Amino acid sequence: MAVDPLGFVGLGLMGTPMALRLARAGTPLVVWNRTPARAAPLRAAGATVAADPAEVFARCPVVLLMLSDGDAVDAALGRGTPAFATMVRDRLVVVLGTTSPEYSRALGDDVRAAGGRHVEAPVSGSRVPAEQGALVAMLAGADDDRARVRPLLAPMCREVVDCGPVPAAQLTKLAVNLFLITMVTGLAEALHFARRHDLDLDTVVQVLDSGPMASDVSRIKAAKIVRDDLAPQAAAADVLGICRLVGDAARGAGIAAPLLDATAALFAETVAAGHGGDDMAAVVHAIAGRSARRAGAPAG
């Protein structure tokens, strides 16, 4: 019996390794990306490359979208145009990226009004966990829709956590990212402190790696900070966007987020300094810049 293909839209830093995990697990895929050249690895892995998102939706009853933000999702879906209803009717739309909770709720309402279904499934993790199939997905939506989506995510995720109704998954993702972003920024500040005191950074990292604060994230990011390896796993510009989403959600609920506010300012400086496409570890340069301005010396 023929198996319906799964649609996948968005082949960026995270989307490509995620889609490749699906293809290599034997999932029949129809994929699309705004920049066609990025679909080449998926074509080589056996996926069908569509001419546009409409073709993906025409061929696939379930479509995963791994796009940068709500504007990119709207553009792919033709939301606000007559094409939207045609595309999503009788389709299950699964958003893997991070959006504001308000956006997600409104998108779900529009998809259902057009006769489709909607599930949030934002993922926690960066490029390396995506390559390893070690992401953690958070699911929100109707019970039967979550049950339908859960097995589809298995090749990409080491765990899939049910969060309840929309927008609980997006809110959970923002809470998790608040901790992640402030943790990595704290690590960068600690290593900058050690460097400015002329400590041996390998020794400092050895102590960190041997203690109770060690994690996969701390080990990876510490190595990148020490080597000034800025090859992106999670780009600084994307992290700044997440900071803004978290900040908006906090302010909208009257919640204080002082660490987030300080971190967002540092990532804004990181992006303004030209590191937007670099890994989030580049936040150490914003911290070094502040030290240099305080000392009246060049950043280092």
Side-chain angles (χ1 to χ4, degrees):
M1 183 173 65
V3 177
D4 288 326
L6 177 64
F8 199 105
V9 172
L11 302 173
L13 187 65
M14 291 286 290
T16 293
M18 291 168 71
L20 283 171
R21 292 286 307 185
L22 291 167
R24 290 166 180 165
T27 304
L29 284 181
V30 179
V31 306
W32 178 83
N33 190 70
R34 184 178 59 182
T35 304
R38 290 189 175 177
L42 272 299
R43 181 182 283 109
T48 299
V49 179
D52 53 32
E55 181 183 348
V56 179
F57 279 85
R59 300 180 64 169
C60 304
V62 180
V63 179
L64 311 182
L65 296 101
M66 187 60 189
L67 296 166
S68 58
D69 55 28
D71 288 343
V73 173
D74 287 347
L77 295 179
R79 190 169 173 223
T81 75
F84 175 77
T86 302
M87 288 175 64
V88 305
R89 185 178 298 116
D90 299 322
R91 296 296 185 261
L92 178 52
V93 180
V94 183
V95 178
L96 301 173
T98 306
T99 71
S100 75
E102 294 79 12
Y103 170 86
S104 186
R105 185 185 288 111
L107 175 65
D109 290 343
D110 286 352
V111 169
R112 285 188 295 276
R117 311 287 290 178
H118 167 248
V119 165
E120 295 177 336
V123 295
S124 180
S126 57
R127 181 178 57 81
V128 171
E131 292 172 343
Q132 298 170 341
L135 299 170
V136 177
M138 291 145 275
L139 281 182
D143 291 349
D144 54 342
D145 293 333
R146 297 202 310 270
R148 187 178 179 188
V149 170
R150 173 182 284 274
L152 300 177
L153 304 182
M156 302 182 294
C157 300
R158 72 164 181 255
E159 190 163 357
V160 179
V161 180
D162 282 319
C163 297
V166 171
Q170 292 293 355
L171 283 167
T172 301
K173 174 68 186 296
L174 295 182
V176 169
N177 273 8
L178 195 163
F179 173 59
L180 169 67
I181 294 167
T182 54
M183 176 180 70
V184 172
T185 304
L187 176 65
E189 185 171 323
L191 291 173
H192 173 67
F193 173 92
R195 178 178 276 136
R196 289 294 295 264
H197 279 284
D198 296 321
L199 298 177
D200 180 78
L201 294 187
D202 289 337
T203 300
V204 175
V205 170
Q206 181 182 355
V207 173
L208 288 171
D209 287 350
S210 300
M213 296 176 291
S215 67
D216 290 344
V217 170
S218 71
R219 292 185 180 96
I220 291 169
K221 297 306 182 187
K224 291 180 78 64
I225 292 165
V226 169
R227 300 187 197 116
D228 200 29
D229 170 13
L230 301 183
Q233 296 175 344
D238 294 336
V239 172
L240 177 58
I242 298 294
C243 287
R244 289 169 174 162
L245 288 178
V246 178
D248 289 345
R251 284 186 291 273
I255 298 168
L259 291 179
L260 184 279
D261 291 341
T263 301
L266 284 166
F267 273 96
E269 293 171 25
T270 303
V271 172
H275 292 292
D278 293 333
D279 190 77
M280 66 186 297
V283 72
V284 72
H285 289 283
I287 297 167
R290 290 192 183 190
S291 292
R293 289 191 293 276
R294 176 171 293 186

